[in-house]
């Protein structure tokens, strides 16, 4: 299969592929997604094959309206509506009870479903024309998420027919994931919308998942976001040496580290053939960025 990168004013073809059950890649404000119609079980299966994703790692379903979210789920709580009204469209994914009529493969067999309303106009247009779209990040399983169309091509060339080129993603790391299945909300994956913002809005504490209890989010057990190079987190100024250094405050030959540049730098380091990526942790780093760095360093 030949993979083509198409322009944003050319969405008709992408819509056709989605409608016939063929996954395609599209931009969101966080990272590029590999999308298929949420109601099409065959198309969902193809997403797992294309990415080489373990079948127990559930997908996020993207919606354009709160009504669509309600139809995908059941027993939505007041917290759900409150968070959706405040943060949607935007980089917040909410895990709720799944409508049992949806393909179980979507949620890796779980009785729950992760839903988000992206703010990217191309993503919203696709959903408006076709209905809810299930989409994991458009990378091969285990690789850093793609933040440009070329990153998607690097991983999925020959595996999908189309990539919609929306330029560089505005945020660069994946959405915040919050589970609303317990009495207290649980932060499953930190992102640019912070735990503190969610707590302030709900007037309620948001819990961190307990590493030693049941895995709440299957995605958490896999090594993720990882370049080929070894990633070393360095906390002491004197030990900050190497051929490829990322720093929130770069000097000399260092490169800039922030949420938007992280994955592009990981991919660049691999192309460059770096053996080790040294991360300057002597300065403050956001919870979301630290989460990705720790997983990459595992
Ligand atoms: O920003 C994003 O969220 C991007 C864009 C494309 O929207 N998507 C993304 O999808 O990062 P993915 O598949 O790479 O990550 C989804 C995460 C995984 O950690 C998965 O385990 C978790 O969400 N998740 C999905 N459904 C879940 C569920 N029902 N219960 C718990 N965790 C779930
Ligand atoms: Mg992913």
């Amino acid at each position: 299969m030949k993979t083509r990168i198409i322009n944003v004013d050319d969405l008709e073809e992408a819509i056709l592929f989605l409608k016939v059950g063929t996954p395609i890649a599209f931009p969101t404000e966080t990272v590029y997604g590999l999308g298929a119609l949420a109601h099409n079980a065959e198309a969902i299966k193809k997403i797992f094959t294309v990415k080489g994703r373990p079948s127990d790692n559930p997908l996020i379903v993207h919606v354009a309206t709160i009504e669509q979210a309600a139809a995908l789920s059941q027993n939505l709580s007041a917290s759900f509506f409150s968070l959706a009204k405040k943060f949607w469209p935007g980089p917040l994914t909410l895990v709720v009870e799944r409508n049992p009529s949806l393909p179980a493969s979507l949620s890796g067999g779980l009785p729950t479903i992760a839903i988000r309303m992206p703010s990217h106009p191309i993503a919203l247009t696709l959903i408006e024309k076709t209905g809810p779209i299930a989409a994991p990040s458009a990378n091969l399983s285990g690789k850093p998420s793609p933040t440009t169309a070329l990153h998607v091509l690097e991983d999925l060339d020959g595996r999908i027919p189309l990539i919609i080129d929306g330029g560089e993603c505005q945020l660069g790391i994946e959405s915040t994931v919050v589970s609303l299945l317990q009495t207290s909300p649980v932060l499953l994956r930190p992102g640019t919308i912070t735990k503190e913002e969610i707590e302030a809005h709900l007037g309620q504490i948001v819990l961190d998942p307990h590493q030693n209890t049941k895995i709440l989010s299957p995605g958490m057990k896999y090594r993720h976001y990882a370049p080929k190079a070894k990633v070393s987190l360095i906390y002491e100024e004197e030990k900050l040496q190497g051929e490829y250094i990322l720093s929130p405050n770069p000097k000399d030959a260092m490169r800039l580290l922030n949420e938007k540049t992280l994955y592009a730098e990981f991919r660049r380091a691999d192309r460059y053939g770096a053996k080790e990526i040294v991360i300057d942790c002597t300065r403050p780093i956001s919870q979301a960025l630290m989460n990705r760095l720790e997983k990459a360093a595992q």
Side-chain angles (χ1 to χ4, degrees):
M1 185 190 298
K2 175 114 188 69
T3 303
R4 283 177 302 126
I5 297 187
I6 62 162
N7 197 286
V8 297
D9 343 290
D10 212 14
L11 295 184
E12 281 314 309
E13 214 188 335
I15 291 165
L16 272 177
F17 274 118
L18 286 171
K19 286 188 174 163
V20 299
T22 304
I24 54 130
F26 64 97
T28 83
E29 74 277 29
T30 56
V31 300
Y32 276 72
L34 175 65
L37 297 192
H39 291 92
N40 184 335
E42 280 304 309
I44 299 304
K45 222 192 265 172
K46 289 183 196 161
I47 288 185
F48 286 91
T49 313
V50 165
K51 277 189 62 107
R53 185 180 178 101
S55 60
D56 66 348
N57 194 357
L59 308 179
I60 295 174
V61 180
H62 298 69
V63 298
T65 63
I66 301 235
E67 290 68 32
Q68 286 178 336
L72 294 166
S73 54
Q74 57 185 8
N75 300 324
L76 291 175
S77 63
S79 300
F80 169 86
F81 289 104
S82 176
L83 289 171
K85 281 202 186 101
K86 168 81 176 167
F87 295 105
W88 284 1
L92 177 66
T93 297
L94 299 171
V95 177
V96 295
E97 280 179 45
R98 176 164 58 87
N99 177 330
S101 71
L102 285 164
S105 52
L106 203 57
S107 309
L110 296 172
T112 58
I113 187 164
I115 309 177
R116 100 173 177 97
M117 189 190 294
S119 65
H120 197 294
I122 293 173
L124 287 172
T125 303
L126 291 178
I127 301 161
E128 276 155 15
K129 304 268 184 188
T130 65
I133 295 179
S137 49
N139 50 283
L140 285 176
S141 197
K143 288 281 181 74
S145 293
T147 57
T148 67
L150 279 177
H151 294 167
V152 180
L153 191 69
E154 227 168 63
D155 279 15
L156 303 184
D157 193 9
R159 294 172 180 243
I160 53 172
L162 278 192
I163 303 168
I164 303 169
D165 188 354
E168 202 183 335
C169 296
Q170 187 199 337
L171 300 174
I173 59 167
E174 309 84 350
S175 61
T176 307
V177 181
V178 174
S179 166
L180 299 176
L181 300 167
Q182 284 80 18
T183 340
S184 296
V186 180
L187 182 70
L188 298 182
R189 180 173 74 185
T192 44
I193 293 177
T194 64
K195 177 170 150 158
E196 291 72 24
E197 281 177 272
I198 296 168
E199 287 177 335
H201 180 70
L202 289 179
Q204 202 183 354
I205 294 287
V206 174
L207 304 177
D208 286 312
H210 292 292
Q211 300 300 346
N212 51 358
T213 57
K214 199 168 111 228
I215 293 167
L216 285 168
S217 185
M220 296 191 335
K221 73 178 181 224
Y222 298 107
R223 183 175 187 238
H224 244 155
Y225 324 117
K228 289 194 203 99
K230 172 177 178 232
V231 176
S232 305
L233 309 187
I234 301 299
Y235 292 87
E236 291 155 81
E237 196 89 51
E238 322 70 82
K239 296 194 179 150
L240 208 54
Q241 320 161 0
E243 53 168 350
Y244 210 99
I245 306 180
L246 300 182
S247 168
N249 187 9
K251 48 180 193 272
D252 307 325
M254 298 178 186
R255 296 172 148 280
L256 180 65
L257 169 71
N258 61 33
E259 290 170 359
K260 189 167 172 175
T261 59
L262 176 72
Y263 293 141
E265 284 296 352
F266 277 179
R267 284 176 182 268
R268 197 171 290 139
D270 279 349
R271 273 199 303 274
Y272 170 82
K275 293 268 172 299
E276 185 185 21
I277 302 171
V278 172
I279 309 287
D280 176 4
C281 298
T282 67
R283 289 156 209 288
I285 288 177
S286 71
Q287 187 190 13
L289 194 50
M290 205 58 217
N291 167 270
R292 305 318 189 264
L293 289 170
E294 279 170 353
K295 290 196 174 211
Q298 259 169 32

